[in-house]
Amino acid sequence: MTDHLTLANCVAGTELSALCAALQALDGEPATVSGASAYTAVLPLMRRVTRLDAPATAIQQVEQCFLRLRPSLEAHFDVPLGRLEPLQFLRYRTGDFFVAHQDGNTPLIRDETRHRRISIVLFLNGPAPTPGSPGYGGGELVLHNRTGTTGHCALAPSAGTVVAFRAETTHEVLPVTHGERLTVIAWFRSGDAR
Ligand SMILES: O=C(O)CCC(=O)C(=O)O
Ligand SMILES: [Fe+2]
């Protein structure tokens, strides 16, 4: 069993459609990867995804949704949570992916990511069985078991679902096989970090 929380219907369908339409019209920059040293880099062999410059209203809307969930996350993961890092709006086009990684709270890495406790992902759209229908194929969020040897779960939840997991959980996004996958990711830092 992986230690994660799945919460369906965190954002209403009408709001999701508006968010998707606003985002689909945007250009963006290739997203970067946090490194062990104090830099971030675009590493296309590790992560291929576009980070979108979302409108302020969209940022506020999703931020409020994430902040409302903080007490439930603290209770489920039994960890006091502090501030929410700035949201990242992500667009994975066909062929885009993110290899297995951890988001933070890993003892060997002493950069800013060490303060992250909970990763939180909102799925703005959902899986589509066939190319041409709205949504995407592939693109599962795979969470690996904490022991790292056996067990994982591959998630492709419906639009509006939030998935939260400990930042140190190894996870990956499998390549998108058709369509466009839209997610928002952010991290709650530890209760005693600034
Ligand atoms: O888009 C996702 O489902 C997760 C993205 C991710 O793991 C990350 O940005 O660190
Ligand atoms: Fe991640």
Side-chain angles (χ1 to χ4, degrees):
M1 269 283 284
T2 53
D3 184 12
H4 69 277
L5 192 60
T6 300
L7 301 159
N9 303 315
C10 290
V11 177
T14 47
E15 290 178 45
L16 288 170
S17 312
L19 281 167
C20 289
L23 296 176
Q24 269 153 348
L26 295 175
D27 289 333
E29 295 292 319
T32 57
V33 175
S34 300
S37 51
Y39 75 100
T40 55
V42 175
L43 295 172
L45 292 179
M46 287 181 65
R47 184 185 197 197
R48 209 167 79 195
V49 55
T50 302
R51 187 166 169 186
L52 300 169
D53 193 5
T57 47
I59 296 173
Q60 270 168 20
Q61 204 177 339
V62 180
E63 205 167 56
Q64 288 312 309
C65 162
F66 284 178
L67 290 172
R68 275 196 301 274
L69 295 175
R70 181 163 41 196
S72 322
L73 300 177
E74 287 181 315
H76 176 87
F77 294 104
D78 193 21
V79 58
L81 297 176
R83 102 177 148 79
L84 183 65
E85 290 190 24
L87 275 50
Q88 296 190 13
F89 284 69
L90 301 175
R91 177 175 62 207
Y92 297 76
R93 289 197 156 137
T94 302
D96 288 356
F97 60 88
F98 196 165
V99 297
H101 65 281
Q102 297 161 331
D103 289 342
N105 196 24
T106 45
L108 290 178
I109 296 179
R110 300 295 303 161
D111 66 10
E112 275 295 299
T113 65
R114 74 184 188 280
H115 300 298
R116 293 175 175 171
R117 289 296 175 271
I118 299 297
S119 304
I120 176 165
V121 184
L122 169 66
F123 289 79
L124 292 176
N125 64 355
T130 50
S133 37
Y136 59 89
E140 292 88 349
L141 172 63
V142 178
L143 302 176
H144 294 268
N145 194 325
R146 252 197 289 183
T147 62
T149 47
T150 54
H152 68 274
C153 61
L155 307 171
S158 56
T161 300
V162 163
V163 175
F165 51 91
R166 292 181 198 275
E168 65 270 26
T169 308
T170 303
H171 61 283
E172 61 189 302
V173 179
L174 299 185
V176 169
T177 53
H178 62 80
E180 235 174 51
R181 176 189 193 270
L182 293 169
T183 52
V184 187
I185 179 143
W187 297 273
F188 277 108
R189 293 162 70 101
S190 85
D192 49 16
R194 31 159 217 95

